[in-house]
Amino acid sequence: MLNITLESHDDYKAVERLTFAAFETMELPGRTHTDEHFLAHIMRDRSAFVPELDFIGTIGGEIIANIMYTKSKIIRPNGSETEAVTFGPVSVKPELHRNGYGAAIIRHSLYAARKRGYGTVIIVGHADYYPRFGFKPASEYNLTMPDGGVFDAFMALELRQGYLGTSGGKWYEDEVFDIYKTAFSKWNVEFQKAFS
Ligand SMILES: CC(C)(COP(=O)(O)OP(=O)(O)OC[C@H]1O[C@@H](n2cnc3c(N)ncnc32)[C@H](O)[C@@H]1OP(=O)(O)O)[C@@H](O)C(=O)NCCC(=O)NCCS
């Protein structure tokens, strides 16, 4: 049985290894390398990081699943801000995919987010997977990316009915999602030099 608890400092390395292993299995057109473990590594230092929604799932003491959240925001057409939270990375040990562990830790975290009073979860993720948790296309709430873009993988879940309203706006995730790509490239050049 999956035992879900908050992540502690001692779990960091195992969670980053799990994140690397899980995302290594992800195939997307144009994807050249795995760097989500580095995102997990630097995300915990951000003020936007949400420790109360940072969960691990263990079986027999081994961490086989995890999910991490950051705060994000919607800027409304009238300039006002609406708080949101965003999850990712979310990972399950590759050998254990499709056993319901991903769904279990996602549901647990959504329940915890609702209980903590958050109003909405907004994500960019697998458009075939997340609707089962109640996620809808963000366009249904008139939300767009900062550049005005809208696409299937951009989804929103209301934790409180009516929280998102209909006025829409642009959704901004924490800067760490931009920063980590460049930071990883620089770090990885140095890291790879050790092998050349
Ligand atoms: C996504 C992930 C967390 C799901 O965990 P899981 O334990 O395998 O998921 P569950 O057993 O709860 O659910 C399995 C379902 O997820 C679906 N699923 C898994 N990965 C998917 C993907 N990339 N795209 C669409 N659906 C996916 C499966 O098709 C399966 O659907 P089914 O129930 O209709 O057969 C896991 O596959 C993983 O770690 N993937 C690599 C990292 C990743 O992609 N993270 C999410 C980024 S948005």
Side-chain angles (χ1 to χ4, degrees):
M1 204 190 118
L2 191 67
N3 183 34
I4 301 174
T5 57
L6 287 172
E7 185 190 36
S8 74
H9 192 276
D10 290 347
D11 304 321
Y12 286 6
K13 281 283 161 249
V15 163
E16 289 159 24
R17 281 196 291 269
L18 168 67
T19 305
F20 179 77
F23 277 85
E24 272 284 278
T25 68
M26 195 163 101
E27 286 174 27
L28 276 181
R31 184 173 161 86
T32 55
H33 63 275
T34 298
D35 53 19
E36 287 80 2
H37 55 304
F38 188 69
L39 171 63
H41 181 66
I42 64 172
M43 185 180 266
R44 301 186 194 91
D45 293 332
R46 303 285 301 175
S47 59
F49 183 60
V50 188
E52 64 194 11
L53 298 177
D54 176 24
F55 292 108
I56 56 166
T58 57
I59 294 181
E62 182 193 0
I63 300 173
I64 66 102
N66 87 293
I67 190 162
M68 303 168 86
Y69 279 70
T70 42
K71 287 188 180 159
S72 58
K73 65 183 174 196
I74 299 159
I75 304 204
R76 304 294 192 174
N78 68 4
S80 67
E81 282 188 17
T82 300
E83 184 187 67
V85 284
T86 295
F87 66 68
V90 50
S91 303
V92 169
K93 184 177 173 173
E95 296 81 350
L96 296 174
H97 282 181
R98 298 190 171 217
N99 282 291
Y101 297 127
I105 201 161
I106 290 166
R107 287 214 167 86
H108 181 95
S109 71
L110 294 175
Y111 179 78
R114 186 177 289 120
K115 229 172 106 184
R116 298 272 183 186
Y118 294 105
T120 185
V121 182
I122 302 182
I123 56 167
V124 174
H126 307 305
D128 296 337
Y129 184 48
Y130 295 109
R132 69 188 66 187
F133 304 104
F135 282 88
K136 294 183 178 160
S139 57
E140 289 195 17
Y141 300 102
N142 297 320
L143 299 174
T144 71
M145 299 296 285
D147 65 0
V150 175
F151 44 90
D152 288 350
F154 177 32
M155 291 171 277
L157 170 71
E158 279 189 329
L159 297 173
R160 268 186 273 148
Q161 211 182 350
Y163 180 83
L164 283 170
T166 51
S167 63
K170 292 182 192 283
W171 174 67
Y172 292 83
E173 55 188 351
D174 184 59
E175 280 176 0
V176 73
F177 288 93
D178 296 325
I179 293 167
Y180 92 93
K181 295 250 170 226
T182 316
F184 176 76
S185 302
K186 283 187 189 151
W187 176 84
N188 204 33
V189 167
E190 292 306 312
F191 179 75
Q192 296 295 341
K193 273 184 193 162
F195 297 97
S196 58

